[in-house]
Amino acid sequence: MEVPVGFFAKLWSFISFLPFFFLLFLLGLLKGLVIGPIVTVIIAVGNSAVVIGLWPAHFIWTYFCVAKSKKLGWVLKISLLVSLPVPLILWPILAIIGSVLGGIGYGFFAPLIATFEAIGENITCKIYHCFADGCISTIKGSCTVVRDFTDFCFHSYFSYMDELSEEMYPDEKRIEVKLSKLPSCILVSLLAIPVDVPFITALALWKSPFMLLRGWKRLLEDLIGREGPFLETVCVPFAGLAIFLWPLAVAGFVVASFFSSFALALYSGVVVHQEESFQLGLAYILAAVSIYDEYTNDLLDMREGSCYMRPKYRRNMSSSGGLDSKSSIELRNEKEKEGSHSLKLVSHGSRTLKQAIQQYTPMQVWGWLFKSCEVNGRILLREDLIDVKDIEECIVKGDCKKLGIKLPAWTILQCLLASAKSDSSGLLISDEVELTKSNWPKDKVFEWFLAPLLVMKEQIKKLQLEEDEEIILRKLVMCYKNERPEEWDNTGFPSTDTVRRAQLQAVIRRLQGIVGSLSRAPTFRRRFKNLVKVLYLEAIQIGLVADTDGGSSKSGNRNRHRVEGDRKNTDEGEQDQQSSRDDDSIV
């Protein structure tokens, strides 16, 4: 679709677009009103049943693990045991309220957005998809939400508690709270709430009109001039939807600011304990308002820094009370180097479609991980480095702890080896895709996981591994604990240097720790079990299941029928969800 040039051409493009948008919006609204109550009931009833059913176990097990843990000092342990009833009693109430609100939002907006996605350029029979998309897929998605929530409450929770009650390493220190500082920490936190919460909420309310008007201005300019994210025809309907729903985003900004103000206020108690100073805690109460003001100014491309004073609340930091704070100056210099015009919101936010595609999403990286695990799993299965019994235990008993840690750890390690060998500045996740700091997901959670991988890649690059060492590493990752260099004595590892072995084992253990944290994500368990079912079918094809069962296969046939049935349902669900999507998503 050609971009209109001139005032009248842009005006006509805007006027002719309005009827088309409102028809789609009314259709999506109708679908949301029909599908929304069904989805809300599924999510609310399902999640509430899980929360209420597991609440006695959560209550008892939390107390048991906290009391048993050796990682917590006595003062902190007693404080937690006394204060735990409050969050444990609030947990089911908040979970049920959140499930209802989440079900309403998902049930209404998912069909609405699917209606607009159905008119994409790569979609055939657009009229059918406008009516059909977002109905059955949203109901199936609500069931998936309940399943992922169940995995989190049942598996992820107990995994966290097991880690808390594990034995300490010799060089590990207990987490302790100084009893003498505890009253001052509580006092400062109580003083911070009535100061920071009203001020931050007032700032959010004051800046919300600026956010609303600037956002509308940029979206309208992009829509009429066909710039930025609305350069392509497929994106045009989303322009009207974004303009229409932008006030909801502004309202969400205000609500999020209100709740985050409590976290900023309570952090003052942490400052008192860390700095061992009541005065610095009081200084942080005033500085928190300035920190929030500066952050929102940068977010909205308003004047840099903050007009509020920021007293020194750390012993090793420089006081900054003016507009030119350190973070703002660094951000300004960075933008000037990149040639960005940060003073104009429209210029800052507009991008071409090609640039938008180069920015990878968390779900794309997540999808690459499981796709690579599937490919590596097939290879390791044929090389007898994956035991079929581990696959069967994961499918039948749900015990995926061993396989769910070692297989992703080897997959990520293989990526690090390839990236180090190719002298890549980032992570080489495929032959054509390189993940760097400029294009990886702008998500703090993913940055916490990806940043250590870059450090480990540099460590591997310095080791300069030989090809025979890389080949034997897959066996060492999959079959050994890698706790001591002596474990590799009879493994055939070429190098006898204990320091070199210890460095590699440290990288492997750290990777397994990262994967262990990733495995607690709600979607990880569901997607990994689907992956294991694929590996089980692969084991059937190459005859490993028959060999394991000794020729007879009643249990093998039962598992086969279960896996094939689940795999068929999974494939059908994925086809329904992806039928109206373009090739940009790789999940």
Side-chain angles (χ1 to χ4, degrees):
M1 187 173 181
E2 296 181 357
V3 177
V5 179
F7 174 77
F8 291 103
K10 292 181 178 180
L11 181 62
W12 172 249
S13 175
F14 175 72
I15 294 174
S16 61
F17 163 76
L18 290 178
F20 177 63
F21 163 75
F22 281 113
L23 287 175
L24 284 176
F25 182 78
L26 289 175
L27 178 59
L29 184 64
L30 179 62
K31 289 162 62 177
L33 293 175
V34 174
I35 302 298
I38 301 174
V39 171
T40 303
V41 170
I42 292 175
I43 294 179
V45 173
N47 289 356
S48 300
V50 171
V51 170
I52 296 173
L54 290 177
W55 185 79
H58 284 175
F59 194 99
I60 296 173
W61 193 250
T62 301
Y63 262 96
F64 174 77
C65 291
V66 171
K68 179 185 176 183
S69 177
K70 296 181 179 179
K71 298 181 179 180
L72 304 177
W74 284 107
V75 177
L76 180 59
K77 184 181 294 187
I78 294 173
S79 302
L80 287 176
L81 292 175
V82 172
S83 59
L84 270 177
V86 176
L88 288 176
I89 292 174
L90 290 177
W91 158 242
I93 300 173
L94 297 177
I96 292 173
I97 295 175
S99 298
V100 173
L101 296 178
I104 294 173
Y106 178 70
F108 179 78
F109 288 106
L112 179 62
I113 294 174
T115 304
F116 284 85
E117 289 179 340
I119 53 106
E121 292 183 340
N122 296 326
I123 303 298
T124 58
C125 193
K126 292 181 174 58
I127 297 179
Y128 167 77
H129 285 288
C130 282
F131 285 90
D133 285 5
C135 297
I136 302 299
S137 61
T138 304
I139 295 176
K140 290 183 177 179
S142 64
C143 298
T144 303
V145 170
V146 175
R147 179 182 176 183
D148 289 341
F149 184 77
T150 304
D151 287 339
F152 178 80
C153 291
F154 191 79
H155 299 283
S156 301
Y157 163 79
F158 288 105
S159 177
Y160 281 117
M161 291 296 103
D162 290 343
E163 181 180 0
L164 181 63
S165 58
E166 287 178 352
E167 294 292 333
M168 294 178 58
Y169 292 104
D171 56 344
E172 188 176 1
K173 295 183 179 179
R174 289 185 176 183
I175 305 174
E176 185 59 278
V177 173
K178 296 179 180 179
L179 185 60
S180 60
K181 295 296 179 182
L182 193 58
S184 58
C185 293
I186 297 175
L187 178 59
V188 170
S189 297
L190 294 176
L191 292 175
I193 291 177
V195 175
D196 288 339
V197 172
F199 271 98
I200 292 176
T201 305
L203 275 176
L205 291 171
W206 181 73
K207 292 185 178 183
S208 58
F210 293 93
M211 183 178 181
L212 180 67
L213 296 176
R214 290 197 176 198
W216 269 345
K217 178 178 179 293
R218 196 191 82 184
L219 291 171
L220 284 171
E221 288 177 347
D222 287 346
L223 170 63
I224 298 174
R226 198 65 54 74
E227 296 175 357
F230 310 129
L231 180 64
E232 299 294 324
T233 306
V234 65
C235 300
V236 171
F238 286 100
L241 186 63
I243 293 171
F244 203 79
L245 299 180
W246 184 247
L248 293 179
V250 176
F253 161 75
V254 176
V255 173
S257 298
F258 171 74
F259 286 107
S260 63
S261 63
F262 285 93
L264 285 171
L266 294 175
Y267 188 73
S268 59
V270 179
V271 173
V272 173
H273 184 268
Q274 291 177 343
E275 301 297 331
E276 299 183 353
S277 172
F278 182 81
Q279 290 77 9
L280 292 180
L282 295 177
Y284 174 80
I285 296 177
L286 301 177
V289 180
S290 174
I291 293 172
Y292 173 83
D293 184 46
E294 180 183 337
Y295 174 78
T296 51
N297 285 344
D298 292 338
L299 182 66
L300 300 176
D301 282 332
M302 298 175 67
R303 184 175 57 179
E304 293 180 348
S306 174
C307 60
Y308 299 99
M309 64 176 181
R310 185 181 301 183
K312 180 180 177 181
Y313 62 92
R314 295 285 187 185
R315 300 185 189 276
N316 57 349
M317 69 176 290
S318 59
S319 179
S320 177
L323 295 175
D324 291 329
S325 63
K326 183 178 179 181
S327 59
S328 293
I329 294 174
E330 292 175 350
L331 181 62
R332 181 180 61 196
N333 294 336
E334 182 180 351
K335 289 182 179 179
E336 290 175 354
K337 291 180 182 179
E338 295 174 353
S340 64
H341 305 284
S342 60
L343 297 179
K344 295 183 179 180
L345 182 61
V346 56
S347 299
H348 178 71
S350 298
R351 300 179 181 88
T352 63
L353 184 63
K354 181 178 179 181
Q355 290 173 328
I357 292 176
Q358 290 177 347
Q359 189 69 49
Y360 297 104
T361 64
M363 294 306 297
Q364 286 178 307
V365 180
W366 202 236
W368 162 82
L369 176 62
F370 287 98
K371 186 63 179 178
S372 300
C373 286
E374 179 180 341
V375 174
N376 287 311
R378 293 176 185 270
I379 297 173
L380 296 173
L381 188 63
R382 293 181 181 272
E383 294 180 356
D384 293 330
L385 294 178
I386 291 181
D387 194 346
V388 180
K389 293 182 179 179
D390 294 333
I391 298 178
E392 291 178 342
E393 286 183 0
C394 183
I395 295 174
V396 179
K397 300 180 181 180
D399 184 9
C400 305
K401 188 173 182 180
K402 179 180 178 182
L403 194 60
I405 298 295
K406 292 183 175 294
L407 179 56
W410 164 245
T411 299
I412 299 175
L413 180 58
Q414 193 177 39
C415 170
L416 296 179
L417 293 172
S419 303
K421 186 180 296 185
S422 63
D423 200 21
S424 169
S425 61
L427 299 178
L428 199 64
I429 64 177
S430 69
D431 295 337
E432 300 178 354
V433 179
E434 182 182 7
L435 199 65
T436 63
K437 290 184 177 180
S438 60
N439 65 1
W440 72 18
K442 301 304 179 184
D443 186 278
K444 285 295 183 183
V445 177
F446 264 80
E447 287 183 6
W448 292 339
F449 288 107
L450 292 175
L453 296 182
L454 296 178
V455 176
M456 285 185 279
K457 184 203 69 174
E458 296 300 325
Q459 294 175 345
I460 293 175
K461 185 186 296 186
K462 292 179 181 179
L463 291 175
Q464 297 180 350
L465 296 179
E466 302 293 337
E467 185 175 355
D468 52 351
E469 291 178 329
E470 294 181 7
I471 294 175
I472 200 67
L473 268 181
R474 68 177 67 179
K475 176 183 177 182
L476 300 175
V477 172
M478 297 301 299
C479 302
Y480 291 84
K481 294 183 179 180
N482 301 302
E483 295 179 350
R484 300 185 309 275
E486 293 79 12
E487 292 182 26
W488 292 5
D489 287 343
N490 299 322
T491 59
F493 188 73
S495 176
T496 58
D497 186 356
T498 56
V499 176
R500 186 181 182 85
R501 290 184 177 187
Q503 290 174 335
L504 283 174
Q505 288 180 340
V507 171
I508 294 173
R509 289 195 301 270
R510 192 175 183 187
L511 277 177
Q512 290 176 345
I514 292 175
V515 173
S517 299
L518 287 174
S519 65
R520 294 169 185 151
T523 59
F524 184 93
R525 182 174 178 81
R526 170 173 53 85
R527 299 193 63 170
F528 191 80
K529 290 194 73 173
N530 291 334
L531 165 64
V532 171
K533 293 170 186 176
V534 174
L535 297 181
Y536 188 79
L537 293 177
E538 179 75 13
I540 292 174
Q541 292 177 0
I542 62 180
L544 293 179
V545 173
D547 293 340
T548 303
D549 292 340
S552 79
S553 47
K554 283 187 178 180
S555 64
N557 288 333
R558 286 198 300 269
N559 290 338
R560 184 184 311 172
H561 293 319
R562 177 186 302 175
V563 170
E564 290 177 349
D566 291 344
R567 180 63 178 170
K568 182 179 179 181
N569 295 333
T570 301
D571 292 340
E572 289 177 354
E574 290 178 352
Q575 289 175 3
D576 291 339
Q577 293 176 6
Q578 297 296 333
S579 60
S580 61
R581 306 294 188 267
D582 54 22
D583 294 333
D584 183 51
S585 176
I586 64 173
V587 181

